Amino acid sequence: MAVTSKQLPILDLNNEALAQINGSTITPTYDRSQLQAGIVHIGVGNFHRAHLSWYLHRLMQKGMDLDWAIIGSGVTEYDIPMREKLASQDFLTTLIELDPEGNRSCEIVGSMMDYVAVEKNNQPLIQAMSQPNIRIVSLTVTEGGYFINEKGELILDHPDLVHDIENPDSPRTAFGAMVSALDIRRQAGLGPFTGLSCDNLIENGNKLKQVVLGIATNRNLELANWIEENCTFPNAMVDCIVPRTGDVEINIVKNLGINDLVPVSHEDFRQWVIEDKFCAGRPAWEKIGVQFSDNVHGYENQKIRILNAGHQILANAAELLHIETVRDAMKNPLLTSLLEKVEQNDVLPHVSPVPGLTPQDYLKLISERFANPSIQDTIRRIAFDGSSRHAVFITPSIRDGLSKNNSIEGLSLVEALWARMCEGTREDGTNIEPNDPQWSKLNSIAKQSKNKPEEWLKQSEVYGDLFQKTQFANSFTYWLTELYKNGVEQTINKYIK
């Protein structure tokens, strides 16, 4: 036990410490020793612990659904440190809610009860998903992790999927592991589970089903038919801004007398809209604010097109201008004008209202959320993995703009800003650290594109056939040329005016 400068005792977070934690921090009121697993979640990052895990925890706080506790899991070496840290604190997480007025509230979430060992053959994960009490397998594996190309086709010749098809006992991917577990359940007569994607993808449930069935069909047609007939994959829209954890968050919790190795901060807003299609039952999430709807597509389209695209509209321009946080970007009149004009002209025309919320209202809401001065959300976080995010968040609106003869000028500039950012230097001459799994490739193409802009658009995994669309190609070329000729600020000013 250590002591702060104020001589407040700091308790290592674990089950035994819960009873001693400061009364201002909400702690689990349920008996964690009575938890029984019902969900395996793959990809235990900050978002999961602030979203699905929190919703389930809130149900448990009502004394409900203690048999739906979460077993965490992962399929990459990056998941190993997270497992070790969470295991050392009995899988508890401190959530820090930050509102725009600077108020903070802290809550310790206890809905996770275990985390399976991370091994290359994924056998511990397969065995966990094969247990009869597991009725939902949920995932957060990033937008680009579903092996689906720009045409909506499963990339069956991807080396990881080829491996998973040929090696069912040692799959590399979460999807291959799911198929292996479902095969064990089928043969043992244990029944199916629901696959629940929590990733920012249009029709994320349909895409999860597509990759699971694609692997299963190429392994065993009888297995694929059984999955098709018995399993469900509801579409879902998830929404909460959850920054990466750093020293600021760790120190906030320490000042409350808690030593949490992996606390999570989040905004004072959450939304989760799900199709009510659960083949093996589900928690009573509707009792704590989850919306069940047959129009998930409308909600996810609004969120992905406006919020997620909005992050990309800001991200690369802000990085080039050496602005470190989203809240600081929202203090820059040039960037707020860019966000407003691109959204109004190029995005909102392709978004339909959902009950109680028009696209205009949603844009106003997300602008306020981005500007939340209490949220330390970094530009690097929202810019990360642009090779996946632009394909999902930006190009659909470009395609719609071209097909409907609407503006694509703003989004062409956004793509040019991304290409300029991937060149690797800011306007002040400082270097941009690699910020994408494909950074080496992107950096090389970006440098070629300085004199040959068309080279950037030939990335078919991002743009498909858009490089063949003359209007978009010409607009992109114009704006990229302007960026290198006149700089970021002058080019954005030219677009705005």
Side-chain angles (χ1 to χ4, degrees):
M1 186 180 294
V3 178
T4 68
S5 59
K6 298 179 180 180
Q7 300 301 305
L8 290 175
I10 298 180
L11 300 168
D12 290 334
L13 182 59
N14 54 46
N15 285 332
E16 291 184 3
L18 290 177
Q20 306 173 59
I21 285 174
N22 185 298
S24 64
T25 299
I26 301 170
T27 57
T29 57
Y30 46 92
D31 183 353
R32 296 191 75 229
S33 70
Q34 298 302 306
L35 295 180
Q36 300 175 50
I39 299 173
V40 168
H41 183 83
I42 305 170
V44 183
N46 281 14
F47 183 81
H48 163 71
R49 290 180 292 137
H51 203 262
L52 185 157
S53 184
W54 176 86
Y55 278 108
L56 186 58
H57 162 75
R58 277 302 173 98
L59 265 182
M60 292 174 173
Q61 291 287 69
K62 294 177 177 286
M64 303 172 63
D65 290 337
L66 298 184
D67 61 337
W68 281 101
I70 299 165
I71 295 177
S73 64
V75 295
T76 73
E77 62 182 23
Y78 302 109
D79 294 301
I80 296 173
M82 178 64 76
R83 177 180 184 268
E84 292 173 347
K85 290 174 182 178
L86 285 171
S88 74
Q89 53 194 50
D90 294 326
F91 312 104
L92 294 164
T93 291
T94 310
L95 295 187
I96 311 159
E97 182 176 281
L98 303 170
D99 73 17
E101 283 70 48
N103 300 315
R104 298 170 181 167
S105 61
C106 286
E107 181 170 12
I108 295 174
V109 171
S111 53
M112 180 182 293
M113 60 178 287
D114 200 358
Y115 197 129
V116 299
V118 181
E119 297 182 5
K120 286 186 177 180
N121 63 10
N122 283 309
Q123 272 300 313
L125 172 57
I126 292 168
Q127 293 305 313
M129 292 188 291
S130 301
Q131 299 307 305
N133 54 308
I134 298 302
R135 289 151 285 167
I136 294 174
V137 172
S138 53
L139 307 91
T140 41
V141 295
T142 79
E143 298 80 19
Y146 284 71
F147 303 98
I148 294 173
N149 65 22
E150 75 284 349
K151 296 180 181 178
E153 302 164 340
L154 186 61
I155 309 172
L156 279 169
D157 60 353
H158 189 284
D160 288 345
L161 293 192
V162 172
H163 174 90
D164 284 8
I165 290 167
E166 296 177 350
N167 300 276
D169 293 331
S170 57
R172 292 175 182 167
T173 74
F175 315 109
M178 289 175 70
V179 174
S180 296
L182 285 168
D183 198 17
I184 291 171
R185 296 174 73 107
R186 176 183 67 95
Q187 293 185 57
L190 298 177
F193 56 63
T194 293
L196 178 61
S197 172
C198 298
D199 282 305
N200 286 313
L201 287 167
I202 294 291
E203 298 185 348
N204 55 9
N206 293 347
K207 288 181 170 63
L208 175 56
K209 179 178 180 179
Q210 183 179 0
V211 65
V212 166
L213 282 179
I215 294 170
T217 299
N218 283 274
R219 281 192 193 172
N220 181 329
L221 189 56
E222 186 178 341
L223 168 62
N225 290 336
W226 183 85
I227 293 172
E228 176 78 57
E229 293 170 5
N230 292 280
C231 294
T232 47
F233 301 86
N235 292 306
M237 187 281 287
V238 296
D239 192 1
C240 185
I241 294 174
V242 184
R244 290 178 180 171
T245 295
D247 291 340
V248 169
E249 291 75 20
I250 290 172
N251 287 329
I252 288 174
V253 176
K254 279 189 176 179
N255 287 334
L256 293 169
I258 303 168
N259 181 33
D260 185 339
L261 300 175
V262 281
V264 176
S265 66
H266 59 91
E267 64 174 330
D268 59 338
F269 177 94
R270 279 188 186 85
Q271 190 178 25
W272 196 10
V273 186
I274 318 174
E275 289 177 329
D276 202 356
K277 298 177 180 178
F278 290 79
C279 62
R282 63 168 175 80
W285 279 315
E286 72 278 2
K287 295 186 181 296
I288 34 82
V290 175
Q291 297 168 255
F292 288 91
S293 172
D294 293 331
N295 182 33
V296 170
H297 177 73
Y299 289 92
E300 64 189 4
N301 190 56
Q302 188 176 78
K303 190 252 180 173
I304 286 173
R305 298 272 188 134
I306 300 175
L307 186 150
N308 295 112
H311 269 157
Q312 300 313 303
I313 293 168
L314 289 174
N316 304 125
E319 181 68 272
L320 287 164
L321 295 175
H322 217 154
I323 296 173
E324 294 186 358
T325 66
V326 177
R327 67 187 183 191
D328 287 339
M330 293 300 290
K331 294 176 184 176
N332 184 307
L334 188 69
L335 296 187
T336 54
S337 296
L338 174 69
L339 176 67
E340 178 74 15
K341 184 172 182 178
V342 176
E343 293 270 20
Q344 293 284 0
N345 290 3
D346 293 24
V347 178
L348 265 59
H350 313 302
V351 180
S352 300
V354 296
L357 197 62
T358 67
Q360 291 286 350
D361 290 337
Y362 190 68
L363 176 59
K364 182 176 183 293
L365 174 64
I366 68 114
S367 296
E368 293 170 352
R369 291 166 62 192
F370 287 177
N372 184 337
S374 300
I375 296 291
Q376 187 81 3
D377 201 9
T378 65
I379 292 300
R380 277 190 67 78
R381 184 192 78 85
I382 67 169
F384 177 73
D385 199 12
S387 55
S388 295
R389 295 181 174 185
H390 282 252
V392 175
F393 303 152
I394 301 294
T395 60
S397 292
I398 295 174
R399 291 184 183 279
D400 283 348
L402 291 171
S403 67
K404 298 175 183 177
N405 199 29
N406 284 338
S407 170
I408 61 161
E409 283 300 305
L411 291 177
S412 299
L413 171 57
V414 169
E415 295 309 281
L417 285 162
W418 180 39
R420 170 66 184 84
M421 191 276 288
C422 289
E423 185 271 340
T425 57
R426 300 183 182 89
E427 291 285 274
D428 61 11
T430 57
N431 291 328
I432 298 171
E433 294 297 316
N435 197 25
D436 193 290
Q438 306 296 323
W439 181 263
S440 295
K441 174 185 174 184
L442 292 172
N443 181 246
S444 175
I445 298 173
K447 289 176 178 177
Q448 296 175 46
S449 301
K450 185 173 182 177
N451 297 314
K452 297 180 179 179
E454 67 276 7
E455 293 301 312
W456 185 260
L457 300 183
K458 290 179 182 178
Q459 298 179 84
S460 61
E461 64 275 17
V462 178
Y463 298 108
D465 62 353
L466 280 175
F467 79 96
Q468 297 174 335
K469 308 296 183 181
T470 303
Q471 181 183 350
F472 173 57
N474 288 347
S475 183
F476 172 84
T477 298
Y478 173 80
W479 288 119
L480 187 61
T481 302
E482 285 290 307
L483 285 169
Y484 279 114
K485 179 181 177 183
N486 298 312
V488 173
E489 291 188 355
Q490 188 172 328
T491 300
I492 293 176
N493 263 317
K494 187 172 187 177
Y495 165 73
I496 292 169
K497 295 176 181 178

